[in-house]
Amino acid sequence: MYLALRVRKEKAEKLRRKVIRLKVIDKSRRIIVNQGYVEIPVLKKVELEDAEIIEQASPVFAKPRFNFDYVKEKLSDLLSKEELKKFRGGWELIGDILIVNLPDLQKDKKREVGKRLKSLFPKVKTVVSRKAIRDEFRKPEVEIIYGSETITVHKENYCFFKIDVSKLMFCAGNIEERRRMAFISNRNEVVIDMFAGIGQFTIPLAKHSKPKKVIAIEKNPVAFGYLKENIALNELDNVNAILGDCRKVTPERIADRVIMGYFFTPERFLAKAINAIKKHGVIHYHDLAKKDEIEAKEKKLKEVKEIKEIEHRIVKSYAPRVYHVVFDLKVER
Ligand SMILES: C[S@@+](CC[C@H](N)C(=O)[O-])C[C@H]1O[C@@H](n2cnc3c(N)ncnc32)[C@H](O)[C@@H]1O
């Protein structure tokens, strides 16, 4: 759902400034003129004088700053046709670090590509090539091809995320789900984030929804260190961070909402999540599935007696024909 404020042209500039002041403008979409009215993209429903909140029929997305075809063209004198063919997408800009997915190249050539990318994107401080993501901690395997610094602060939806990209993951493709989580809760809720990472969901949710408390659990001490730093960086006083395995440390019967942001065999953790919910609540259950498997997954989840209703949405494409899906489970005991 892409929300926008619809306003008459002569009132648009004043409203735009107000929306920026309120920190609700959605920078991933452009301000557009549609049938004589201006549409200002916003992150959540806001009631403002002279404006009407609408769902945009045809949102226009801000152009990614990194155009892959353009980059390939600019590398065509450095890489052979074969190498260019193997240079696939999957690039990410995290803070001022550019992450690409280079094919196997000689070391010198990689350095040349790194230098060229730096010259194309002068604000980038470091360029890394990411090969694989390993183990349950989701540790990336990266090689620096320009610069040296791998720690950065990524800004998104008025939140700050400090991260070392050589040790931890921040998935740019989950941006819409992070935005959804930011506004999903309210001041009365207790929320548990069972796989908090560096705070990818915890930080925006705690900052924008302002629930009573977010309990953020993380098993990896490195990620946990950044989670603590990010809580401080975002000046949050409603987050309790717990270092440990969520199967052992998740508190029982205190949550209105549980986020299970870890999609490798999540069924192993479901009973713990259900136990964490009070009398009723919602679990955001992440999983991987092919499109034709989603229905069967829903059916299986419905067999759990505490799960009363299920809705799902696709977060992103994960691999050929495999999707990252989030199931919103309404739980009652
Ligand atoms: C891929 S990250 C996802 C972070 C965030 N939820 C998101 O979706 O962007 C998954 C995190 O779960 C943590 N993790 C894995 N198993 C865990 C467990 N049993 N208990 C707590 N954390 C765990 C990993 O260390 C990692 O930081």
Side-chain angles (χ1 to χ4, degrees):
M1 181 167 56
Y2 294 105
L3 296 172
L5 287 168
R6 187 167 178 268
V7 61
R8 297 218 329 249
K9 277 184 185 168
E10 59 274 21
K11 306 266 183 189
E13 180 51 23
K14 196 168 161 210
L15 190 77
R16 184 187 72 87
R17 286 180 200 202
K18 189 154 195 181
V19 169
I20 290 173
R21 262 202 319 279
L22 291 172
K23 299 189 173 175
V24 288
I25 198 158
D26 184 350
K27 293 178 189 161
S28 69
R29 282 175 288 149
R30 289 239 173 107
I31 295 176
I32 56 169
V33 178
N34 188 6
Q35 296 177 347
Y37 284 84
V38 175
E39 293 179 9
I40 303 176
V42 285
L43 294 164
K44 64 170 181 176
K45 281 190 179 154
V46 272
E47 279 182 25
L48 293 175
E49 211 181 320
D50 299 322
E52 176 198 2
I53 190 93
I54 57 157
E55 268 182 45
Q56 278 190 307
S58 321
V60 177
F61 294 95
K63 269 213 182 86
R65 279 177 279 177
F66 187 98
N67 178 312
F68 200 60
D69 290 333
Y70 166 77
V71 168
K72 277 180 124 173
E73 191 195 306
K74 293 286 178 190
L75 295 177
S76 57
D77 60 324
L78 289 178
L79 301 183
S80 69
K81 274 197 175 142
E82 265 315 293
E83 288 165 342
L84 277 173
K85 224 170 151 185
K86 287 187 195 151
F87 183 22
R88 296 182 202 285
W91 59 271
E92 288 180 345
L93 186 63
I94 306 296
D96 49 11
I97 299 180
L98 180 62
I99 302 173
V100 291
N101 188 357
L102 280 187
D104 279 336
L105 297 174
Q106 282 175 340
K107 215 171 174 168
D108 290 354
K109 223 175 200 184
K110 278 188 197 159
R111 288 262 147 205
E112 282 305 308
V113 171
K115 260 196 236 163
R116 180 70 58 85
L117 290 172
K118 163 71 185 170
S119 72
L120 292 174
F121 304 98
K123 285 190 180 153
V124 161
K125 177 172 64 180
T126 309
V127 184
V128 303
S129 178
R130 185 163 66 202
K131 279 277 157 279
I133 295 160
R134 290 189 286 119
D135 67 36
E136 65 171 344
F137 286 160
R138 313 278 293 128
K139 186 178 183 312
E141 210 171 274
V142 302
E143 183 182 350
I144 297 175
I145 58 170
Y146 181 87
S148 57
E149 184 59 85
T150 56
I151 297 174
T152 188
V153 176
H154 184 69
K155 297 181 196 85
E156 184 182 283
N157 293 333
Y158 306 99
C159 298
F160 303 102
F161 300 93
K162 189 169 177 190
I163 185 169
D164 184 339
V165 301
S166 70
K167 297 189 174 130
L168 300 163
M169 271 294 292
F170 187 94
C171 186
N174 293 356
I175 182 167
E176 179 51 27
E177 186 61 10
R178 283 191 292 276
R179 190 198 64 80
R180 189 173 82 103
M181 287 299 108
F183 299 101
I184 201 137
S185 179
N186 59 59
R187 288 176 189 266
N188 302 318
E189 287 195 348
V190 171
V191 180
I192 300 182
D193 186 354
M194 284 173 69
F195 304 91
I198 62 159
Q200 287 93 331
F201 294 133
T202 286
I203 300 292
L205 191 147
K207 188 156 194 163
H208 293 293
S209 287
K210 300 185 173 44
K212 263 192 264 179
K213 195 191 287 178
V214 182
I215 298 168
I217 302 169
E218 174 52 50
K219 185 175 167 186
N220 175 1
V222 179
F224 184 76
Y226 282 100
L227 172 65
K228 296 273 279 183
E229 277 201 59
N230 288 329
I231 293 166
L233 203 58
N234 289 278
E235 300 178 352
L236 298 170
D237 59 7
N238 56 349
V239 182
N240 281 6
I242 301 178
L243 174 64
D245 186 323
C246 61
R247 280 169 293 197
K248 294 187 185 137
V249 301
T250 303
E252 293 186 358
R253 306 207 173 202
I254 65 160
D256 301 281
R257 187 176 298 281
V258 175
I259 304 174
M260 295 178 66
Y262 182 66
F263 48 50
F264 296 105
T265 53
E267 58 278 6
R268 288 179 296 152
F269 307 94
L270 183 59
K272 272 283 159 199
I274 291 174
N275 245 345
I277 294 278
K278 287 173 180 166
K279 253 181 144 6
H280 48 79
V282 177
I283 297 175
H284 304 288
Y285 178 91
H286 291 243
D287 203 351
L288 292 176
K290 293 191 175 145
K291 278 220 169 117
D292 57 5
E293 291 171 346
I294 293 176
E295 213 181 300
K297 292 225 177 218
E298 277 203 12
K299 216 168 153 200
K300 189 104 204 287
L301 285 165
K302 272 190 187 139
E303 286 169 12
V304 179
K305 77 172 188 310
E306 291 90 350
I307 297 176
K308 306 298 178 195
E309 275 176 48
I310 305 182
E311 276 177 29
H312 78 264
R313 60 181 298 276
I314 289 176
V315 177
K316 63 176 183 293
S317 157
Y318 178 74
R321 291 189 300 283
V322 180
Y323 294 88
H324 171 181
V325 186
V326 58
F327 296 90
D328 292 346
L329 314 176
K330 253 198 184 154
V331 170
E332 245 178 72
R333 63 173 95 254

